[in-house]
Amino acid sequence: MNPIFPKRLLPLLLLPLFSTIHAEGPAEAYSFLDISSSTHAYALGGSGAAVITEDVTLVDQNPALIGPELGMQGALSYMRYLASSNFAAARFGMGAGEHSAWAAGIRYLDYGRFDGYDANGTATGSFSPKDMVFEGTFSRDINARFRGGINVKMIYSAYDSYSAFALAADLGVNYYYEVYDLSLSLVLRNMGGQLKKFDRQGTTLPFEVELAYMQGLGTSPFSLAITATDLTRWRLPYYNHDDQDTANQQTVKQSFAKDFFRHLIFGLQYNPNENLYFALGYNYRTRTDMSNYHRTFLSGWSVGMGLKVRSFGIGLAYAQPHASGSTLMLNLSLGTDTFQ
């Protein structure tokens, strides 16, 4: 048996791939749930489901990524998001015994202020739409290499006079072979539904199956990350606009190759030592989604770094999805030594 890719993992890893053949899925709301509070994940293209490190912010990527080695840790996240939007998060986690860990947190997204109008065009005043997520996470070692976890989310949204409430859960499992620095993860994200609707018509949560791989490249300080996302459907068409088209017509783009790469996120990480990392990510789906919004060369790319000094950690991540929108995320964390 090749220890880098154990045969007994094949059924687990191939199951999500077969599910993409026929499933297309309805349109969903709550897309803000895809925004991670982790600069590490954001720098790797927006996904860090297989990152192995003592970082409590990664639990929204995969609840199986925390364990007793976490000790006790608190973290704050802030991002100046697109336009006038602001994203913030706070999370606390700690080990529980020799084989378990738990965490709790909140995520908050404020979209700025908007002018409201009724159906007749009469001004109704300004309002500030917002989304909030309250989360609780538990993980436990299954054996020496497997760990499973669950993340339960209470989701509240308020847009002017409309509000909604939903419950959801993420299930994750991680396989880590330390000798080969190999990490494999399977995550079922956003399973649940609305308890209170915005109006009479309900909307679905963005359920998805995600498969993630990350491995050190030999004895070098580099690691490669590949994440396959949205595996409950295969077709992922997008709209494209030609800037030379004066009629402003949009065309739908879709092919086997485009669908294939729109499912994948690529990341490269450089670790000169255990307390410092630099990360680069490429998300083809983000790049193609922005093709209708004056994208730049940097669209789809993201960069970041993280530094840990004793119990204090700081992380930064930057991306520019389109010409008029840049995002900068900051993480601050305090670890075991501070709380003791």
Side-chain angles (χ1 to χ4, degrees):
M1 180 178 71
N2 182 354
I4 298 182
F5 196 78
K7 293 180 180 178
R8 61 183 177 181
L9 286 179
L10 284 174
L12 178 66
L13 301 181
L14 293 177
L15 178 61
L17 301 180
F18 288 120
S19 70
T20 67
I21 297 176
H22 299 293
E24 296 295 332
E28 311 98 349
Y30 300 98
S31 59
F32 63 89
L33 293 172
D34 294 333
I35 304 174
S36 174
S37 61
S38 167
T39 53
H40 205 149
Y42 199 72
L44 287 170
S47 178
V51 176
I52 302 298
T53 186
E54 298 172 10
D55 185 353
V56 70
T57 65
L58 286 167
V59 299
D60 61 25
Q61 294 295 293
N62 182 354
L65 292 182
I66 59 170
E69 70 279 357
L70 183 68
M72 189 181 297
Q73 186 181 115
L76 297 174
S77 305
Y78 173 77
M79 176 167 58
R80 182 65 174 178
Y81 202 46
L82 301 177
S84 58
S85 302
N86 293 281
F87 175 82
R91 201 175 301 272
F92 177 83
M94 63 182 294
E98 297 181 356
H99 300 286
S100 303
W102 64 268
I106 180 173
R107 284 184 276 170
Y108 177 81
L109 181 57
D110 185 338
Y111 298 93
R113 299 202 65 81
F114 293 81
D115 294 327
Y117 297 88
D118 62 19
N120 298 317
T122 304
T124 59
S126 61
F127 66 98
S128 180
K130 57 182 66 69
D131 294 305
M132 300 181 69
V133 184
F134 302 89
E135 300 172 283
T137 309
F138 180 79
S139 72
R140 184 169 179 81
D141 294 337
I142 300 172
N143 58 35
R145 295 177 185 169
F146 278 95
R147 177 179 293 166
I150 181 171
N151 186 37
V152 178
K153 300 180 281 193
M154 296 184 291
I155 307 159
Y156 173 75
S157 300
Y159 305 151
D160 197 8
S161 60
Y162 300 94
S163 63
F165 182 76
L167 282 178
D170 303 334
L171 293 178
V173 62
N174 174 258
Y175 170 89
Y176 181 55
Y177 200 142
E178 185 175 6
V179 174
Y180 292 92
D181 194 17
L182 167 68
S183 175
L184 296 170
S185 289
L186 176 66
V187 184
L188 281 65
R189 201 185 309 280
N190 300 322
M191 298 181 295
Q194 284 184 307
L195 299 182
K196 181 182 182 297
K197 304 174 183 178
F198 285 109
D199 51 28
R200 294 181 180 180
Q201 182 177 0
T203 54
T204 60
L205 273 66
F207 170 73
E208 70 164 309
V209 177
E210 186 172 288
L211 185 64
Y213 158 87
M214 190 167 186
Q215 186 172 20
L217 300 179
T219 59
S220 77
F222 290 94
S223 298
L224 175 66
I226 303 175
T227 305
T229 65
D230 211 353
L231 295 179
T232 58
R233 54 184 173 179
W234 171 253
R235 288 171 49 86
L236 295 174
Y238 66 96
Y239 289 97
N240 183 65
H241 172 69
D242 185 352
D243 291 337
Q244 305 300 319
D245 182 7
T246 58
N248 292 322
Q249 295 180 346
Q250 296 180 352
T251 57
V252 177
K253 296 289 186 178
Q254 193 270 325
S255 67
F256 178 87
K258 291 181 184 298
D259 285 336
F260 179 78
F261 283 104
R262 277 171 62 80
H263 280 286
L264 299 179
I265 299 173
F266 299 92
L268 183 66
Q269 182 169 290
Y270 172 66
N271 286 97
N273 58 64
E274 61 180 9
N275 295 319
L276 177 66
Y277 75 84
F278 297 92
L280 174 70
Y282 180 70
N283 190 324
Y284 179 72
R285 185 172 181 177
T286 298
R287 182 170 180 81
T288 49
D289 283 344
M290 290 296 106
S291 63
N292 205 39
Y293 299 95
H294 303 287
R295 72 183 180 195
T296 68
F297 171 79
L298 295 177
S299 296
W301 293 93
S302 55
V303 295
M305 59 84 65
L307 173 66
K308 186 176 181 181
V309 180
R310 294 186 178 179
S311 60
F312 176 74
I314 183 171
L316 291 170
Y318 173 83
Q320 186 184 34
H322 60 87
S324 60
S326 297
T327 60
L328 179 65
M329 179 183 283
L330 169 68
N331 276 172
L332 298 174
S333 65
L334 291 174
T336 304
D337 296 340
T338 301
F339 289 100
Q340 287 182 336

